Amino acid sequence: MRLGLVALGLLAGLLTVVALEMALRLLGIGGGVPRYDPFAGFSRTVPMFEPVTLADGTPGFRTAAARRLKVPQEFPASKPPGSFRVFVVGESSAAGVPYSVWYAFSTFLEQRLRAQLPELQVQVVNAAVSGYASRRILAVVEELARYQPDLLIVYAGHNELGERRYYAHLVEMDPRLFRLWEWLAQTRLYAVASQMPIIGVKHEPPRFDFRDLENSFQMFAVLSRNALGAYPTAREVAWGEEHYRLNVEKMVEAMQAVGVPVMLVTLGQDFADWAPGVSVHRPDLTEQDRRAFDDLVAQGDRLAPTDCPGAIAAYRRALLVDDAYADLHYRIATCERRSGKFAAARDAYRRASDLDRVPHGAPSSYNDVLRDIARRYGTMLADADRMFEQASPDGLVGQSLFVDFVHPNVHGHVLLARFLAEEMRRAGLPVPGDRWRDGYVDPEPADLYARDPGLRTQELIGRASACLLARRPACAQEATDAVLALDPGNPHGRQLAAGIKKWNEQVAQRRRVP
């Protein structure tokens, strides 16, 4: 009898919920695209683009408010005749961080294509989102396949390990529970309830409350755990690469299924001027080995200022003890650079980056993955990694092209746009190369800085933020001082300065404690 009453009560409650849901649907309440994404991009229930009416009164699509982009992108729902539509996907590097999307390579590419292909209506739509890794980008690509693309450009790979750790609560959720949550999130009741003060007053959960540059540096969200030794294991690194490969392959397959060409772009980053974040010894190193290693490194450090060949000899003896320590490879690279042995320096810098345990940027093997996928699937490959190398002094990619560890500066974006256009022309896309108009001149970075003085400030704030999040106080202080020298009242600069001061005080206090 008691069980029957309980069952009856549950049935009555369920019928009430169903009735409320039906009433909301009949009244047209709670429809439309959500104002924030409770799944942070991991579900396909919240679209990247939502239907809108464009300024000219025609139907179109605009970046959904749930994606929280400062500069939404839009395009017509029906592609006009004689048009060429390009979508760019990726993370913060493709989105234009620390600038706005107007200074991302996608914008410079659109300007160049319009000048060189005047008979076509060219539109390059930037669908990159800061913080995204390949799993979330794949969901975006599958959606883009419905919007009549003519080319997909993929520039992504720097967030693979950081995303999984930061979003473990979503990535590792039981698939059955995740599907139930997806179903609930699509109901009108959920849409109405999510706007009620009792649930949050129009705000996202704090977990997804990223502002300004923070979303671009999610890989640092696990830094506190890393400080305790919770670095990515060899298995996690291998899994990350395989996961990256599978997702990029699915992106290519999604576009090839609708007959759309894909351009995979290899990744660039600051190898030469951004030291590894965390170096870790081999786990099987004995205490005696550790002392021998430290002695050899100290010997190399003493010699390095005046005798780089001698220092490198000492460092290489240390490598025989432990070749897994990232910072040792960086020291070797720095000395090889000073000695004019740039090829050896380049190889050592890349090895140091690959051994970084935070990590700062993608493993160089990801570019081999992209090259392999392009070969097997017959897609276009723009080897930006090598392009950046050729455009850098002595072939050492560093601060001349990057704001911080992975984000290109304005010059880097301009060069990347030109390189992608050259690859398109070489491939005869969208028209044979001899039909492209010559004479286009890239905007000079100096002119861009002069026209928009705020660019330099944004650049320095981006660098200071990256340095601070990477726990490099000297680097953060230098960039912050430069911000305040340009703009003494800059609120971000003053906030950074206050944060650095507080940090230094805490460090000093810890040192005083016995």
Side-chain angles (χ1 to χ4, degrees):
M1 183 68 165
R2 186 173 298 173
L3 288 175
L5 290 174
V6 170
L8 186 62
L10 290 173
L11 179 61
L14 179 61
L15 291 174
T16 301
V17 169
V18 171
L20 285 171
E21 177 69 17
M22 295 302 297
L24 291 173
R25 291 179 180 272
L26 289 172
L27 294 172
I29 299 173
V33 178
R35 291 166 58 184
Y36 74 87
D37 181 2
F39 306 101
F42 286 95
S43 169
R44 289 157 176 77
T45 59
V46 180
M48 178 72 189
F49 291 94
E50 57 188 349
V52 296
T53 300
L54 302 178
D56 61 3
T58 61
F61 289 94
R62 180 180 297 131
T63 310
R67 301 291 166 155
R68 304 182 64 192
L69 300 186
K70 289 185 176 180
V71 184
Q73 301 280 282
E74 60 181 34
F75 54 92
S78 296
K79 191 169 62 177
S83 61
F84 184 72
R85 180 176 291 173
V86 181
F87 285 104
V88 173
V89 295
E91 65 239 331
S92 56
S93 295
V97 170
Y99 320 102
S100 74
V101 70
W102 302 124
Y103 294 94
F105 67 82
S106 57
T107 298
F108 296 123
L109 176 63
E110 182 179 74
Q111 293 170 0
R112 174 176 277 274
L113 292 179
R114 286 182 174 180
Q116 294 193 273
L117 302 168
E119 72 275 16
L120 296 178
Q121 296 183 48
V122 176
Q123 183 174 34
V124 180
V125 181
N126 193 312
V129 184
S130 293
Y132 276 27
S134 59
R135 174 170 172 168
R136 288 189 281 180
I137 295 170
L138 172 60
V140 173
V141 169
E142 291 173 341
E143 179 184 335
L144 297 181
R146 306 197 300 264
Y147 299 140
Q148 301 173 286
D150 293 300
L151 174 66
L152 176 75
I153 297 176
V154 181
Y155 184 70
H158 288 306
N159 289 341
E160 296 304 305
L161 292 174
E163 182 188 73
R164 178 172 176 79
R165 288 185 165 225
Y166 188 83
Y167 287 109
H169 60 291
L170 291 171
V171 174
E172 297 173 6
M173 184 181 292
D174 186 301
R176 293 166 295 184
L177 182 59
F178 194 87
R179 285 195 292 271
L180 175 61
W181 188 16
E182 286 182 310
W183 177 80
L184 289 172
Q186 295 179 74
T187 64
R188 301 297 179 92
L189 279 171
Y190 183 94
V192 172
S194 66
Q195 303 300 319
M196 295 176 63
I198 191 172
I199 289 186
V201 196
K202 303 179 184 178
H203 288 296
E204 298 186 25
R207 180 179 298 279
F208 307 126
D209 190 19
F210 299 108
R211 301 185 187 281
D212 300 316
L213 297 168
E214 292 177 13
N215 198 46
S216 310
F217 299 112
Q218 288 180 16
M219 66 183 70
F220 290 106
V222 294
L223 193 55
S224 59
R225 280 191 246 167
N226 286 343
L228 299 176
Y231 307 112
T233 64
R235 183 177 180 181
E236 283 181 295
V237 172
W239 179 92
E241 181 174 320
E242 186 61 24
H243 190 253
Y244 177 69
R245 177 187 291 274
L246 291 173
N247 285 332
V248 174
E249 287 177 345
K250 289 179 181 178
M251 293 179 208
V252 172
E253 291 167 357
M255 284 294 158
Q256 289 186 340
V258 293
V260 176
V262 176
M263 177 186 287
L264 302 179
V265 185
T266 59
L267 297 159
Q269 63 192 71
D270 182 345
F271 293 108
D273 299 318
W274 190 273
V278 174
S279 301
V280 177
H281 286 290
R282 276 193 357 245
D284 60 343
L285 211 64
T286 67
E287 187 59 35
Q288 183 179 355
D289 289 338
R290 178 77 67 88
R291 287 195 298 269
F293 179 90
D294 291 342
D295 289 343
L296 288 167
V297 171
Q299 180 183 342
D301 290 346
R302 288 192 298 271
L303 293 169
T306 58
D307 180 13
C308 259
I312 291 172
Y315 290 147
R316 293 201 180 282
R317 289 198 297 274
L319 282 180
L320 297 176
V321 180
D322 182 5
D323 64 354
Y325 201 75
D327 189 61
L328 176 56
H329 292 272
Y330 193 83
R331 294 178 194 217
I332 291 172
T334 302
C335 243
E336 297 280 26
R337 182 182 192 175
R338 280 212 300 267
S339 301
K341 298 180 179 179
F342 303 119
R346 181 186 64 244
D347 293 343
Y349 278 132
R350 287 175 181 262
R351 181 63 177 154
S353 178
D354 286 346
L355 290 171
D356 189 354
R357 298 299 298 275
V358 170
H360 294 172
S364 57
S365 59
Y366 281 28
N367 285 337
D368 294 330
V369 168
L370 293 171
R371 294 177 183 116
D372 180 61
I373 293 174
R375 178 185 56 79
R376 290 189 295 106
Y377 282 83
T379 72
M380 301 169 64
L381 177 75
D383 205 338
D385 175 36
R386 290 175 181 162
M387 182 276 294
F388 282 130
E389 192 174 283
Q390 292 168 359
S392 299
D394 304 317
L396 302 177
V397 184
Q399 288 185 29
S400 65
L401 294 176
F402 286 84
V403 172
D404 48 42
F405 51 106
V406 292
H407 300 104
N409 59 22
V410 170
H411 185 42
H413 279 289
V414 171
L415 288 179
L416 185 53
R418 181 174 68 196
F419 180 64
L420 299 184
E422 289 170 349
E423 289 298 306
M424 290 173 59
R425 182 173 185 169
R426 190 172 64 83
L429 186 73
V431 297
D434 58 4
R435 291 175 54 187
W436 287 55
R437 180 174 294 180
D438 294 321
Y440 179 80
V441 178
D442 285 318
E444 286 290 336
D447 294 337
L448 294 173
Y449 287 124
R451 191 159 59 238
D452 185 354
L455 285 179
R456 190 69 73 183
T457 304
Q458 289 174 306
E459 195 170 282
L460 289 166
I461 289 173
R463 182 169 182 80
S465 300
C467 293
L468 194 59
L469 290 166
R471 301 192 178 189
R472 303 183 183 201
C475 164
Q477 186 70 64
E478 181 183 9
T480 301
D481 290 344
V483 170
L484 296 176
L486 289 172
D487 181 6
N490 186 280
H492 291 290
R494 297 177 73 173
Q495 184 179 12
L496 283 165
I500 294 169
K501 180 181 178 181
K502 184 176 180 180
W503 184 7
N504 288 334
E505 290 172 350
Q506 291 174 343
V507 171
Q509 184 177 1
R510 284 198 296 269
R511 287 175 178 170
R512 287 194 296 267
V513 176

